[in-house]
Amino acid sequence: MIRTAILVFLAMFALTSGRATAEEGLWTFDNFPLARVNATYGTKLDQKWLDHLQGASVRLTSGCSGAIVSGEGLIFTNHHCIMECAQDLSDREQDYVTDGYMAARADERTCPGLMAEILTSVTDYTKEINAATAGLTGDAFVRAQSAAATGIEKKACDDDTRMHCEIVPLYQGGQYRLYKYRKYSDVRLVFAPEFQAAFFGGDPDNFNFPRYALDIGFLRIYENDAPVRTPDHLTWNTDTPREGDPVFVAGNPGTTKRLMTAAQLETLRDVVYPPVQMMKSELRGRLITFAGQDEENRRISQDAVFGVENGFKAMGAEWQALRDPAMIAAKRQEEAYLKSTLSGSFATEIGDPWAEIAEAQKAYTELFLPYNFLENTPYSSTLLNYARELVRGAAERQKPSAERLPEYADSRLPAIERDLFANAQVQKPLEQLYLEFRLSKAREYMGTDAPQTQILLGKSSPEQLAAFLVENTGLDNVDTRKALWEGGMTAIKASNDPMIQYALRIDPASRDIRRAYENRVAGPTRIAAEKIARVRFRAYGTNTYPDATWSLRLSYGRIQGWNWRGTTVTPFTYMKGIYDRATGKAPYQLPQSFIEARGKFDGNTVMDFVTTNDIVGGNSGSPAVNAQGEIIGAVFDGNIHSLGGAYFYDSGINRAVVVSTAAVSVALDKVYDNQALLAELRTN
């Protein structure tokens, strides 16, 4: 359980200053506390240092981060960030996930659907967004906000296909910033170690330390069939990291919920997490059973099993954090302080947004399950998602851009088209498992007689319907998807594809539940959150950082172990330790390459290490850099305590886990004999 003393301290600190504590913070690059960091560490970071790091930081559409590490578009990231690519490039004869991937420059292969983005500018559009929503409520507020955001995005990128523009809400709607990215759609796989090297220790070691994982991968960005010239890249440093050294992590953390209200956290704890965790647990069991049936099932489900196991463990720790009464108490204490700062006309103007959000939670509780199964589509099949994108895309593109659902606005269509037109492998046996599971859980949780269940299933069983839809659809063919997308509603209505017909059947009910959710939950919550943001700004100024929003952030920390219940965890592991940990059986089974390399390298090379940097999911692959801006590793995990980072940061025990560049260089040299890649890193 979370330590009550820590939470009380955090609450009291917030009451007195509103500033981030210790090394806490997922800071935006335009509000990074340079003076505080330099004073704390004795460093000399400046704007030039920040600009260089921003220019070398990469966001990958696989949900990860990375860094440019050469002048020829080479990206360093994690294996689990490129695992889907390796699986898409594999077949029955060649399994690049299990066996690894190593290519000469001329043989680097494109990852289907993967895109890399580099942030180029951030512009404030708060006034414009607020003006568009003034006086509106509910669904009207949500639609007006979305229309304003997508209009700004469209104008800012001005049909430049090389750019991606995105309005990012910060501080729960206290600010709206336009993030402009240079995007690269031709991303090719360069190197991946074997799965057993990358995920050595498997699920038992995941979110733990010591670790002995070589969780690395290299990609390269191309344009016009040539590697992109990237003068803004990080220098590869293989010096031995030292305890106490300052470390900076630049990446794209996905989501945190640190600014949510107590009422919202209670809804997550009591309404959302229980069924979601139960479903993750059962899906994990189904996938493991599926993988154990034969070698081909194992091959095609490796990425799926990894993802579900990772998510199940992460959410379990988050749920445990929510169940500690001290956490909610600390949140209520901070809310009481913020309310106490209200006075006069400002208090009248603000009202009680905390009560408004609490009221919206009642509607959320009522709508959660139907919204989850009809609109949010968790654990769904890729084929059904294709069908819904095609059906909705055909309907929405008949309207003016500002009147569409926001994801189908002109500025956001390229992302949908990238997914639809990617030549990624679709494994029908796995698709049937996912769809059958989703339909069976809908019936179980909502009940057989629920109108939403009747819409989803009709007279069929989950097993019958999933088998029929998956076996008979042609949406696994990219040319079929392209023809339907380009043909618009005429092609959709003329299609006899059963998955398309099924998506058409359920879409009206899906839209109805979405409209209800936006009117009763999303709209009121966003309006109230914007008010709370104004209160926080007035109380704390700009000495705070926003929740994570899958946008570029920078955290600072140092190499340091931790103490837990009388046990001291040292910050380093060494390459020789992988042999001591190996048992010859999964998940502690070494790949043959490491077995053959034993004795060929210095076993005292630091393999993995931990830092106090504040990180969450999405930071995978983030570059860990020193005060000189040189890369010394890549974040690939956090310890189990860091999973509470969705809600709070505790510098005493939260740790980021990093694979060292020193170990990467040794592995490329002595284990894989990849001298070309090693030379590229050394000369940059």
Side-chain angles (χ1 to χ4, degrees):
M1 281 292 189
I2 301 166
R3 292 178 293 176
T4 301
I6 290 292
L7 287 172
V8 171
F9 167 76
L10 290 174
M12 292 305 295
F13 195 91
L15 298 184
T16 56
S17 73
R19 295 179 59 155
T21 62
E23 290 154 326
E24 174 184 356
L26 304 166
W27 299 91
T28 57
F29 270 64
D30 58 352
N31 191 35
F32 186 72
L34 274 174
R36 186 195 315 172
V37 170
N38 285 334
T40 300
Y41 298 120
T43 52
K44 297 180 180 179
L45 311 185
D46 56 19
Q47 190 60 47
K48 183 179 179 181
W49 186 94
L50 287 173
D51 291 344
H52 176 64
L53 182 54
Q54 176 179 314
S57 299
V58 178
R59 184 171 76 167
L60 298 170
T61 53
S62 58
C64 290
S65 303
I68 302 290
V69 289
S70 88
E72 296 179 280
L74 186 67
I75 296 173
F76 179 44
T77 186
N78 291 156
H79 181 276
H80 69 265
C81 297
I82 54 91
M83 188 173 171
E84 184 176 2
C85 170
Q87 188 145 325
D88 277 334
L89 297 178
S90 299
D91 54 33
R92 289 176 180 268
E93 285 68 45
Q94 183 62 65
D95 182 353
Y96 293 122
V97 176
T98 298
D99 302 330
Y101 181 94
M102 186 162 61
R105 180 75 63 89
D107 298 324
E108 293 169 357
R109 295 174 61 186
T110 299
C111 295
L114 183 62
M115 188 165 70
E117 299 176 324
I118 299 175
L119 181 65
T120 61
S121 66
V122 178
T123 309
D124 187 14
Y125 277 91
T126 307
K127 290 182 180 179
E128 289 81 354
I129 297 292
N130 288 343
T133 59
L136 300 177
T137 60
D139 176 68
F141 177 94
V142 173
R143 297 303 173 95
Q145 188 180 77
S146 298
T150 56
I152 292 168
E153 293 166 354
K154 174 72 172 175
K155 184 177 181 180
C157 272
D158 193 27
D159 294 325
D160 187 341
T161 58
R162 302 171 303 168
M163 307 303 294
H164 170 215
C165 293
E166 178 182 332
I167 287 289
V168 178
L170 301 173
Y171 300 99
Q172 304 292 83
Q175 293 178 355
Y176 293 92
R177 301 288 176 91
L178 177 77
Y179 277 58
K180 192 170 186 178
Y181 298 88
R182 179 67 163 87
K183 66 180 183 181
Y184 299 93
S185 300
D186 186 355
V187 183
R188 304 188 188 183
L189 187 59
V190 175
F191 174 81
E194 308 93 333
F195 182 74
Q196 274 305 119
F199 198 45
F200 182 79
D203 190 56
D205 277 3
N206 195 24
F207 298 118
N208 284 305
F209 198 80
R211 294 294 299 274
Y212 299 90
L214 192 71
D215 194 347
I216 65 165
F218 286 91
L219 303 163
R220 195 184 306 278
I221 49 177
Y222 280 72
E223 205 161 46
N224 300 320
D225 206 33
V228 175
R229 299 299 175 188
T230 47
D232 245 342
H233 60 267
L234 301 181
T235 298
W236 190 261
N237 184 314
T238 59
D239 293 344
T240 300
R242 299 172 302 176
E243 187 167 6
D245 282 354
V247 177
F248 306 89
V249 171
N252 300 274
T255 58
T256 54
K257 307 170 185 70
R258 299 177 188 179
L259 298 183
M260 278 189 170
T261 68
Q264 287 174 299
L265 297 180
E266 287 171 332
T267 300
L268 288 173
R269 180 193 67 196
D270 301 335
V271 177
V272 176
Y273 277 57
V276 170
Q277 270 299 83
M278 287 289 288
M279 285 187 280
K280 280 181 182 287
S281 177
E282 182 176 337
L283 180 59
R284 176 176 182 257
R286 291 195 186 198
L287 283 169
I288 290 172
T289 300
F290 175 86
Q293 290 173 350
D294 57 48
E295 179 59 24
E296 180 63 5
N297 280 10
R298 182 206 62 79
R299 183 186 73 80
I300 68 175
S301 63
Q302 286 182 98
D303 189 35
V305 171
F306 172 84
V308 170
E309 287 191 334
N310 193 64
F312 177 70
K313 200 167 190 177
M315 183 169 275
E318 291 180 17
W319 191 18
Q320 181 178 349
L322 284 172
R323 293 199 301 271
D324 191 315
M327 183 176 178
I328 303 297
K331 176 62 69 172
R332 291 200 183 282
Q333 192 174 3
E334 188 201 15
E335 290 177 4
Y337 167 71
L338 289 173
K339 291 176 184 178
S340 74
T341 67
L342 296 173
S343 62
S345 60
F346 185 63
T348 302
E349 181 182 352
I350 293 296
D352 190 351
W354 293 273
E356 293 167 10
I357 288 180
E359 187 65 26
Q361 297 312 293
K362 298 177 183 177
Y364 186 23
T365 299
E366 175 188 332
L367 295 172
F368 169 66
L369 286 175
Y371 181 80
N372 203 42
F373 285 112
L374 274 169
E375 179 63 18
N376 203 29
T377 62
Y379 317 125
S380 186
S381 78
T382 299
L383 291 169
L384 179 56
N385 287 336
Y386 284 155
R388 190 167 79 156
E389 296 285 24
L390 290 166
V391 166
R392 283 202 173 170
E396 294 299 310
R397 285 182 298 148
Q398 296 179 117
K399 309 172 187 175
S401 181
E403 296 177 15
R404 300 174 193 165
L405 295 174
E407 60 267 34
Y408 297 96
D410 285 340
S411 62
R412 300 180 184 179
L413 286 179
I416 292 178
E417 292 173 343
R418 182 191 72 237
D419 292 339
L420 282 175
F421 301 162
N423 197 21
Q425 292 189 30
V426 178
Q427 306 292 349
K428 282 196 169 184
L430 200 56
E431 291 292 299
Q432 185 173 329
L433 183 153
Y434 271 108
L435 185 54
E436 181 181 307
F437 176 77
R438 170 175 133 76
L439 294 172
S440 67
K441 294 300 102 178
R443 183 175 65 180
E444 176 182 335
Y445 280 90
M446 292 190 296
T448 301
D449 297 326
Q452 295 86 3
T453 304
Q454 293 296 311
I455 290 167
L456 287 169
L457 282 172
K459 299 279 186 185
S460 301
S461 71
E463 296 76 15
Q464 290 172 322
L465 184 56
F468 172 75
L469 293 175
V470 172
E471 288 172 7
N472 293 286
T473 185
L475 296 184
D476 53 327
N477 185 293
V478 65
D479 292 331
T480 299
R481 300 195 298 271
K482 282 184 179 180
L484 286 167
W485 180 261
E486 293 167 358
M489 188 53 73
T490 300
I492 291 295
K493 287 183 176 178
S495 173
N496 60 2
D497 188 290
M499 198 71 80
I500 291 291
Q501 293 302 314
Y502 181 69
L504 280 168
R505 186 181 96 193
I506 67 176
D507 194 55
S510 298
R511 287 175 179 268
D512 286 347
I513 201 69
R514 174 173 177 156
R515 194 173 300 109
Y517 179 84
E518 291 178 348
N519 196 46
R520 300 174 60 193
V521 181
T525 299
R526 290 186 195 178
I527 293 168
E530 286 184 1
K531 293 178 183 178
I532 294 174
R534 292 173 59 194
V535 178
R536 294 181 67 87
F537 284 142
R538 189 172 183 180
Y540 303 146
T542 58
N543 294 320
T544 60
Y545 61 92
D547 263 328
T549 53
W550 181 226
S551 55
L552 186 62
R553 304 297 178 87
L554 182 59
S555 69
Y556 61 93
R558 64 182 81 223
I559 298 175
Q560 183 177 301
W562 76 96
N563 294 289
W564 178 246
R565 294 177 176 170
T567 298
T568 298
V569 182
T570 57
F572 302 110
T573 61
Y574 302 92
M575 293 189 75
K576 62 185 178 183
I578 196 171
Y579 296 103
D580 296 332
R581 207 170 184 82
T583 65
K585 302 292 183 182
Y588 298 103
Q589 183 177 15
L590 285 171
Q592 189 64 29
S593 60
F594 265 83
I595 294 173
E596 294 175 358
R598 187 168 192 173
K600 294 182 180 180
F601 55 81
D602 182 359
N604 291 314
T605 303
V606 170
M607 187 161 192
D608 299 330
F609 61 93
V610 294
T611 76
T612 59
N613 290 81
D614 192 356
I615 58 105
V616 296
N619 273 119
S620 289
S622 294
V625 304
N626 60 19
Q628 290 71 48
E630 301 164 331
I631 187 166
I632 61 172
V635 173
F636 71 92
D637 204 0
N639 65 356
I640 197 70
H641 311 291
S642 72
L643 295 174
Y647 306 105
F648 76 101
Y649 170 82
D650 181 347
S651 63
I653 55 176
N654 284 34
R655 294 293 181 269
V657 185
V658 183
V659 57
S660 81
T661 49
V664 176
S665 288
V666 167
L668 290 176
D669 185 14
K670 303 299 184 181
V671 179
Y672 300 106
D673 192 27
N674 194 333
Q675 300 305 319
L677 182 54
L678 188 60
E680 183 176 356
L681 294 169
R682 285 173 172 169
T683 56
N684 286 279

